[in-house]
Amino acid sequence: MLALDLPAHPRIVCPMPRTVLVVDDDPHIRQLLVFALGKAGLDTVEAADGEAALAAVEEHEPDLVVLDINMPRMDGLEVCRRIRASGDLPILFLSSRDDEIDRVVGIELGADDYVVKPFSPREVVARVQAVLRRTGGRAPAVSAPAIRHGRLLLDLDGWRAEWGGEPVVLTLTEFSILRTLAAMPAKVFSRDAIIDRLHGPGFAITDRTIDSHIRNLRGKFAALGATDLIETRAGIGYRLGACTG
């Protein structure tokens, strides 16, 4: 027999799939979302209540949580509070009520986005992917420069923020908004322009959501003495402040 000297097959390295934790007390909704997210190439973990959700976060370390607000025993708002107490894991809320109070409270707690029931599974998948795309840049091949402005430092590689050398823990959306403003500190961004930078044109999100994120940013930096982080231009939008404290 002849020995054929065949070229070795090139090694194909596949990116690690992202994992989404789906939390809802309705098994039919969980099944629907797990199927839709799986079709999009995402790994999924399920939890039927708040306590199981917190345990799943510890055990599986998901990349994002799809979290129902209205659950018995421990609701989604409390789960969000506990997750936010220990980190910046992205959270997308599901709400069964078209209740702006619920949505605003969720955003103020640090949620990155929300979807109101009844929803299209495609919409949930699209919003999940939009958030995960923003997290995908945490370890780029080429180091991105840091942004320094007054006492503010944004480490774009590490997704870290500092004020006067002190770290400030931000959610993904909060960091992305601040990075948008800091990249062009002289520019006044309308709320729509900020939404376009975060999600792309045509993404459905209210101005109140951006206002809530800005309020969160100001509150977190104010704890370190920052009084001029972001300027409001009445009737126009926001721009980065002097950041001198």
Side-chain angles (χ1 to χ4, degrees):
M1 296 180 62
L2 295 176
L4 300 179
D5 186 14
L6 297 176
H9 291 291
R11 183 185 178 193
I12 300 175
V13 179
C14 297
M16 291 292 290
R18 313 299 288 276
T19 299
V20 177
L21 170 60
V22 179
V23 186
D24 198 297
D25 60 325
D26 187 331
H28 299 293
I29 290 178
R30 294 202 309 273
Q31 183 179 23
L32 183 67
L33 290 177
V34 164
F35 178 78
L37 293 165
K39 290 268 289 184
L42 297 164
D43 287 345
T44 55
V45 179
E46 297 181 51
D49 57 53
E51 293 175 353
L54 295 175
V57 168
E58 291 293 325
E59 179 179 355
H60 298 283
E61 298 184 352
D63 298 287
L64 181 143
V65 181
V66 177
L67 180 59
D68 184 30
I69 289 181
N70 302 300
M71 294 186 295
R73 298 172 59 187
M74 182 189 298
D75 66 16
L77 297 176
E78 180 60 26
V79 174
C80 182
R81 286 189 187 95
R82 298 192 185 194
I83 290 175
R84 280 288 164 264
S86 59
D88 59 354
L89 174 63
I91 295 172
L92 183 150
F93 267 133
L94 301 177
S95 175
S96 61
R97 298 194 301 265
D98 190 8
D99 188 338
E100 186 175 14
I101 294 176
D102 271 357
R103 298 199 299 273
V104 170
V105 169
I107 294 298
E108 288 176 344
L109 288 174
D112 294 278
D113 204 351
Y114 60 84
V115 177
V116 176
K117 299 177 183 178
F119 54 77
S120 160
R122 292 180 61 186
E123 179 186 7
V124 176
V125 170
R127 290 181 183 250
V128 165
Q129 290 175 326
V131 175
L132 290 177
R133 276 196 298 271
R134 301 201 300 273
T135 66
R138 294 194 181 197
V142 178
S143 178
I147 296 178
R148 295 179 183 272
H149 185 79
R151 304 189 68 189
L152 174 68
L153 168 67
L154 297 180
D155 174 6
L156 304 187
D157 271 357
W159 288 71
R160 293 185 304 105
E162 294 182 2
W163 180 267
E166 293 294 323
V168 184
V169 178
L170 303 178
T171 67
L172 169 66
T173 300
E174 290 164 358
F175 185 93
S176 298
I177 290 174
L178 194 53
R179 180 181 61 181
T180 295
L181 300 179
M184 303 179 69
K187 178 179 174 61
V188 179
F189 287 85
S190 69
R191 293 168 179 82
D192 286 342
I194 293 173
I195 293 169
D196 288 348
R197 294 296 182 99
L198 296 181
H199 301 288
F203 196 84
I205 193 172
T206 68
D207 290 350
R208 286 286 301 275
T209 299
I210 296 300
D211 293 342
S212 293
H213 286 307
I214 295 292
R215 185 161 55 249
N216 287 348
L217 280 165
R218 285 171 168 160
K220 289 181 177 182
F221 281 86
L224 295 176
T227 58
D228 56 354
L229 177 72
I230 296 172
E231 294 180 4
T232 299
R233 300 300 295 272
I236 305 175
Y238 300 102
R239 76 172 180 182
L240 194 69
C243 295
T244 61

